[in-house]
Amino acid sequence: MTAFASTALARRLDTAVQLAEEAGRLALRLRPPPGAPVATLKGAQDWLTEADGAVEEFLSRQLAERFPEDGFQGEETGRARSGTLRWVVDPIDGTSNYARGSARFCVSLGLIEDRTPLLGVLVAPAMGETFAARRGAGATLNGAPIRAAATTDLSRAMVECGWSPRRPNGAYFRLVEGVMGTGAMLRAGGSGALGLADVAAGRIDAYIELHINLWDVAAALAILQEAGATVSPFLDGNGLAEGNPIMAAAPGIAEGLVVATGFPLA
Ligand code: LIP
């Protein structure tokens, strides 16, 4: 259990929502028009836009002013400060969507203490959506409480399988085959953070990815936990530094998905 008083965390959540929404407006102003990607490649299918740097810089500066004692870690600029609490930022999650003018992207701002997610805020400005959660205080979408779905039958489920070039395509095909073998409907939306948030909101029944980084999930972990989803132990092992596989699911189908995919849930 965290040593931080709930009032200190509630104050941080209010600030995080306000800053992430402002960061979202900045990202919207910089969003490229629809068409071929306006971005540079960091690696195969790994995009970097002007907004990634600008949003991360904005959040780093604002958080340092308001909470100078807190640590910071950002995906893009390598900015890092240490502290008992650590803000973890993905300035634009779903960059491949964003770079071509799509609406499916978000600003992700999480707060962790060691291996415990304390707060999460995801702002999808082009969709007008703000997900937020504080440990022990529930999860919300635009202020209304959210819960993971009550689905128990995989043949009626919808499952997102996130893809990245960090794992071999063959492993992804096997994952997809396992999921589709259950009769579940498949989708892939290009933003791991928003896929996970959709599980928390009951819009889909599970999100699975063979490798994902801390900044992609730091906010979503708090949101999923508060929404009652079943989540694999992402922060175990080297998850903090090197990322891990992730599965987040409606509790009623989690075990069936583990059996069908061989995914390590615990
Ligand atoms: C990416 C995602 C994508 C996921 C990748 C990656 P980025 O983050 O959200 O959906 O599959 O693992 O991390 O590059 O958009 O911040």
Side-chain angles (χ1 to χ4, degrees), residues 42 45-48 52 75-76 90-97 105-106 160-166 189-195 207-209 211-213 215-216:
K42 293 186 282 180
Q45 293 289 352
D46 190 5
W47 299 97
L48 180 68
D52 284 283
E75 175 185 6
E76 304 296 354
D90 185 348
I92 307 283
D93 187 79
T95 316
S96 55
N97 290 340
F105 70 91
C106 67
E160 177 163 357
C161 290
W163 176 87
S164 88
R166 296 183 297 275
S191 164
L194 287 178
Y207 182 93
I208 311 177
E209 186 161 344
H211 177 268
I212 197 158
N213 286 303
W215 45 81
D216 296 312

Side-chain angles (χ1 to χ4, degrees), residues 118-195:
L118 298 179
L119 303 180
V121 178
L122 288 175
V123 173
M127 303 196 295
E129 297 198 331
T130 296
F131 295 86
R134 172 163 65 87
R135 189 176 168 81
T140 58
L141 167 55
N142 291 347
I146 50 173
R147 289 303 290 169
T151 311
T152 53
D153 180 353
L154 270 164
S155 70
R156 304 171 74 129
M158 182 184 280
V159 176
E160 177 163 357
C161 290
W163 176 87
S164 88
R166 296 183 297 275
R167 289 293 178 269
N169 282 341
Y172 184 76
F173 297 151
R174 284 191 293 280
L175 173 68
V176 165
E177 201 173 5
V179 169
M180 295 189 80
T182 67
M185 179 189 287
L186 191 73
R187 80 166 197 184
S191 164
L194 287 178

Side-chain angles (χ1 to χ4, degrees), residues 76-102:
E76 304 296 354
T77 59
R79 263 166 215 291
R81 296 187 292 275
S82 55
T84 308
L85 299 183
R86 189 195 328 177
W87 294 98
V88 182
V89 169
D90 185 348
I92 307 283
D93 187 79
T95 316
S96 55
N97 290 340
Y98 178 84
R100 7 190 358 135
S102 161

